[in-house]
Amino acid sequence: MKNNKEYLIFRNKNTYEVIIGLEVHAQVTSKSKLFSASSTKFGAEANTQVSLVDAAFPGMLPVINEFCVKQAIKTGIGLKAKINKRSIFDRKNYFYADLPQGYQISQFKHPIVGEGTVTLDTPHGQKEIRIERLHLEQDAGKSIHDMDPQNTLVDLNRSGVALMEIVSKPDLRSPDEVNIFIKKLRSIMRYLGTCDGNMQEGSLRADVNVSVRIKGLEKFGTRCEIKNVNSIKFMQMAINYEANRQVDLIEDGKSVIQETRLFDTKKNETRSMRSKEDAHDYRYFPDPDLLPLDVSDEFIDKIKKEIPELPDEKKKRFIDKFKLTPYEATILVSDNETSKYFEEVIKNSDVKLATNWITGELFAVLNDRNLEISQSPISSINLSKLINLIKDGTISGKIAKTIFELMMDGDKDPKKIVEEKNLKQESDPKALEILIEKVIDDNPEKVKEYKSGKEKLFGFFVGQAMKASNGKANPQLVNSILKKKL
Ligand code: ADP
Ligand code: MG
């Protein structure tokens, strides 16, 4: 259940609050893997991007990919986090068919990035979500259970691909906040070019930790971890299900057991997978094949210089410089390409109109056709031309919508459409007076009614005049002339 501000669960006389912490796995944007030179390209034929290192042949040695280290540090800076000049790679030991090494190389006690924050813009104001750490690790391969009736097949293309695990503190309180958090994190990484955030391709997924507590209590309840959820929608559904399951347990006088669970997307429920493993179950120890990772101040400073303007700063600039509302600015900076498009449009046209047209008409079309702004059927230059035609009175806002529709067919120049279709707004007072006099002469009954007090009829006359001009009459002029004549 939900009220306006808070996500709470009510049962009997109790009110429960939901506590959520995420462990986000973000695939590093990099041509090659974390410890080998194999390609990371998505969609290749199975087992065609596997080096001897990725397949864990005996005697093979991992070699750290400097670019991936740089990407992790860049992301850390984007999270306003502490960069650790020394970090250590450990072996996390476990057995699985898609993990030929028998261990995953990860960072346990000494991650490359320490504490940071992500600022959320929620409908109820800003909220800071604390980041606990970001560490580098390798991805495992992929077991395929549905290709062969008898056997499980393994594809090692993903084996060894660099991941950043970004761990949040348990600061999230609702499925909506999780939605905003993931989108903000993705936006930051896309601005930085460190993770493409493509959830369909598995570039961004998360383990979702959920617990509940009676509202007002300080102590956290026991949490469950839902593994490897790969869409925001599923994260929200899983949290909703899991929180209610835990509340039911508590209300029945039972207790929540800490465990790892799976979200079944078909049944919309979470299921127990295994009891919670502890760090010592993995027998972590420093990987003897890899030296501690030391980065210099110069290395970090050089990366800092490459950091572009990020969403928070851009938002502030849009508000200060273009006088946008925080809401408008949030929408326009959420995606780097959108902010670029906006800035191109307003280079030569009115900011207010541009904001409205982009967040209104254009977004509607993109949504409708499921397009990114980089695939917009209308270029920024032609949209700015359309806005200028409205601004200088050549066309009305209403006609502009018709023209907008026509522009989509091959990104047509709106000026040409206005000429070809003769859509120029009629702003000549003399011509409009003639037209309006005719409307008045044609409707003597309505004029009588209007004059005897039925003022609502004014709209009728405006409508008739607009119709008589094929929608081209300047509405402001029609209004003022009608007032005079009636
Ligand atoms: P582990 O490494 O064993 O999974 P951590 O203590 O590092 O455990 O926590 C992992 C994640 O669980 C973090 O995102 C953290 O915010 C979250 N978390 C910890 N305690 C709770 C809790 N009581 N309820 C919900 N999430 C929690
Ligand atoms: Mg964990």
Side-chain angles (χ1 to χ4, degrees):
M1 252 180 279
K2 218 176 196 182
N3 71 12
N4 262 340
K5 268 197 157 148
E6 286 178 289
Y7 178 84
L8 299 169
I9 296 173
F10 303 100
R11 264 306 188 285
N12 301 322
K13 289 206 176 81
N14 292 325
T15 303
Y16 290 88
E17 187 180 26
V18 181
I19 313 291
I20 307 152
L22 298 182
E23 296 160 85
V24 176
H25 296 266
Q27 183 174 325
V28 175
T29 297
S30 160
K31 287 205 177 76
S32 50
K33 296 184 181 177
L34 185 54
F35 299 111
S36 83
S38 318
S39 168
T40 60
K41 212 165 154 70
F42 180 80
E45 200 184 321
N47 296 309
T48 55
Q49 298 175 166
V50 188
S51 73
L52 296 176
V53 176
D54 312 322
F57 272 49
M60 291 298 116
L61 285 175
V63 177
I64 184 82
N65 179 341
E66 183 179 316
F67 183 72
C68 292
V69 173
K70 219 170 127 177
Q71 293 285 67
I73 293 176
K74 235 184 199 174
T75 307
I77 296 169
L79 301 177
K80 306 184 186 88
K82 178 170 184 289
I83 308 299
N84 293 323
K85 285 166 69 183
R86 165 163 283 201
S87 60
I88 291 172
F89 285 104
D90 299 288
R91 289 187 180 181
K92 181 180 182 180
N93 298 281
Y94 65 94
F95 173 80
Y96 208 73
D98 57 25
L99 187 78
Q101 276 173 169
Y103 58 86
Q104 177 193 29
I105 305 179
S106 181
Q107 297 184 315
F108 180 49
K109 279 205 181 118
H110 303 280
I112 186 159
V113 175
E115 294 186 344
T117 52
V118 173
T119 306
L120 307 191
D121 295 290
T122 82
H124 322 292
Q126 292 201 327
K127 175 169 176 177
E128 302 281 333
I129 303 299
R130 292 168 301 156
I131 297 297
E132 176 151 344
R133 60 189 279 164
L134 175 158
H135 65 254
L136 274 169
E137 63 183 27
Q138 327 170 273
D139 206 348
K142 192 175 161 200
S143 296
I144 301 161
H145 305 288
D146 55 5
M147 252 171 98
D148 185 292
Q150 257 92 45
N151 301 294
T152 288
L153 304 179
V154 175
D155 175 8
L156 291 181
N157 281 352
R158 229 170 54 191
S159 166
V161 166
L163 300 179
M164 298 179 277
E165 177 168 331
I166 302 166
V167 183
S168 87
K169 302 255 190 195
D171 287 347
L172 295 155
R173 292 290 176 274
S174 70
D176 283 344
E177 282 186 8
V178 167
N179 175 34
I180 300 170
F181 175 74
I182 295 280
K183 284 186 178 152
K184 185 62 180 281
L185 194 59
R186 181 169 65 185
S187 164
I188 292 169
M189 293 191 292
R190 281 183 173 164
Y191 268 68
L192 291 165
T194 55
C195 169
D196 66 24
N198 190 332
M199 298 185 92
Q200 279 93 42
E201 295 181 2
S203 300
L204 193 65
R205 44 194 207 266
D207 301 339
V208 183
N209 295 271
V210 180
S211 68
V212 297
R213 70 175 170 198
I214 301 248
K215 190 163 165 54
L217 290 187
E218 213 173 299
K219 198 166 170 287
F220 284 145
T222 304
R223 77 187 144 106
C224 287
E225 176 179 358
I226 309 155
K227 271 278 173 217
N228 219 7
V229 190
N230 62 5
S231 93
I232 294 176
K233 192 93 227 135
F234 290 155
M235 288 177 202
Q236 296 185 297
M237 287 159 69
I239 291 164
N240 194 37
Y241 176 88
E242 180 60 20
N244 279 282
R245 186 188 72 88
Q246 293 182 10
V247 167
D248 287 343
L249 278 175
I250 296 167
E251 287 288 319
D252 277 356
K254 297 177 191 144
S255 48
V256 177
I257 299 163
Q258 188 171 340
E259 62 184 356
T260 303
R261 299 178 69 87
L262 270 183
F263 183 60
D264 183 328
T265 56
K266 292 199 181 79
K267 295 197 180 133
N268 183 21
E269 63 184 31
T270 64
R271 260 203 316 272
S272 181
M273 188 175 152
R274 55 171 184 253
S275 66
K276 172 71 189 162
E277 69 282 3
D278 269 317
H280 63 250
D281 295 329
Y282 287 117
R283 300 281 193 278
Y284 277 101
F285 66 87
D287 192 314
D289 290 341
L290 289 157
L291 288 168
L293 179 62
D294 288 316
V295 291
S296 65
D297 286 323
E298 294 77 51
F299 189 74
I300 298 171
D301 286 342
K302 222 173 123 216
I303 297 171
K304 278 189 182 150
K305 293 207 180 82
E306 293 171 16
I307 303 285
E309 182 184 40
L310 291 173
D312 290 340
E313 289 84 60
K314 191 165 291 214
K315 179 179 164 188
K316 190 172 175 312
R317 179 165 65 85
F318 279 13
I319 293 172
D320 292 348
K321 194 166 159 199
F322 305 131
K323 308 286 172 249
L324 300 188
T325 64
Y327 176 73
E328 291 166 340
T330 302
I331 297 180
L332 288 170
V333 307
S334 68
D335 156 58
N336 202 11
E337 293 300 318
T338 304
S339 72
K340 274 192 209 149
Y341 186 97
F342 169 74
E343 291 207 82
E344 278 161 22
V345 173
I346 61 167
K347 246 188 235 152
N348 320 296
S349 67
D350 181 74
V351 171
K352 197 77 212 150
L353 280 169
T355 306
N356 292 341
W357 277 84
I358 293 171
T359 60
E361 306 292 319
L362 186 68
F363 277 11
V365 168
L366 297 178
N367 252 332
D368 202 43
R369 302 190 180 184
N370 205 4
L371 296 174
E372 303 278 331
I373 198 146
S374 56
Q375 306 163 301
S376 168
I378 295 178
S379 61
S380 55
I381 193 87
N382 277 336
L383 186 61
S384 73
K385 282 184 193 169
L386 180 72
I387 289 165
N388 288 335
L389 291 171
I390 305 168
K391 187 80 184 169
D392 68 15
T394 308
I395 55 173
S396 66
K398 185 138 184 269
I399 293 285
K401 291 197 177 157
T402 311
I403 296 173
F404 185 84
E405 296 287 324
L406 296 168
M407 286 166 74
M408 277 191 276
D409 182 17
D411 191 24
K412 276 216 191 90
D413 185 333
K415 282 186 185 157
K416 287 218 179 88
I417 297 176
V418 170
E419 276 162 29
E420 278 167 20
K421 309 245 165 198
N422 190 22
L423 290 171
K424 232 186 186 145
Q425 178 159 261
E426 182 57 84
S427 295
D428 173 12
K430 288 246 168 61
L432 287 177
E433 264 180 41
I434 295 170
L435 189 142
I436 286 168
E437 273 162 12
K438 185 161 184 311
V439 168
I440 290 175
D441 289 347
D442 286 350
N443 295 284
E445 291 297 309
K446 293 271 193 306
V447 174
K448 229 193 265 166
E449 284 178 50
Y450 177 79
K451 287 192 169 154
S452 63
K454 206 168 168 192
E455 288 189 7
K456 269 199 290 189
L457 275 174
F458 192 76
F460 165 80
F461 292 108
V462 174
Q464 291 298 307
M466 292 305 291
K467 204 165 148 198
S469 72
N470 288 323
K472 288 188 289 181
N474 179 322
Q476 280 86 38
L477 274 177
V478 168
N479 264 290
S480 64
I481 296 173
L482 256 175
K483 277 213 179 98
K484 245 188 336 201
K485 298 266 169 197
L486 280 170

